[in-house]
Amino acid sequence: MTKVLLAEDDPAISEPLARALRREGYEVDVVTDGESALAQALLAPDLVVLDLGLPKMDGISVLEQWRRA
């Protein structure tokens, strides 16, 4: 099964998006802050949907640190 990491702090966005992805057969992990997004990204999901305006660490910083790792 394809694993998707959804990093979004607004439940009005993350909940319907996660529900739609699951309905299409994806396994979805939802995180709500940048630190959690980085930790989960390091576990190598198949796809990452990354919000740029996350608490604790913004999406650009997540991406930069993920690339360095």
Side-chain angles (χ1 to χ4, degrees):
M1 181 177 288
T2 303
K3 294 185 100 175
V4 177
L5 170 59
L6 173 56
E8 171 59 61
D9 61 321
D10 184 348
I13 296 170
S14 65
E15 290 172 7
L17 182 52
R19 194 170 37 251
L21 289 167
R22 288 182 181 118
R23 198 172 32 240
E24 293 300 319
Y26 296 97
E27 180 181 333
V28 182
D29 290 325
V30 179
V31 296
T32 59
D33 65 73
E35 290 175 353
S36 298
L38 178 58
Q40 290 298 310
L42 294 173
L43 299 176
D46 297 301
L47 174 70
V48 176
V49 179
L50 181 61
D51 181 14
L52 296 179
L54 293 169
K56 296 186 182 178
M57 179 187 303
D58 66 58
I60 298 296
S61 297
V62 170
L63 184 57
E64 288 172 346
Q65 289 191 33
W66 185 23
R67 284 182 175 173
R68 277 190 233 128

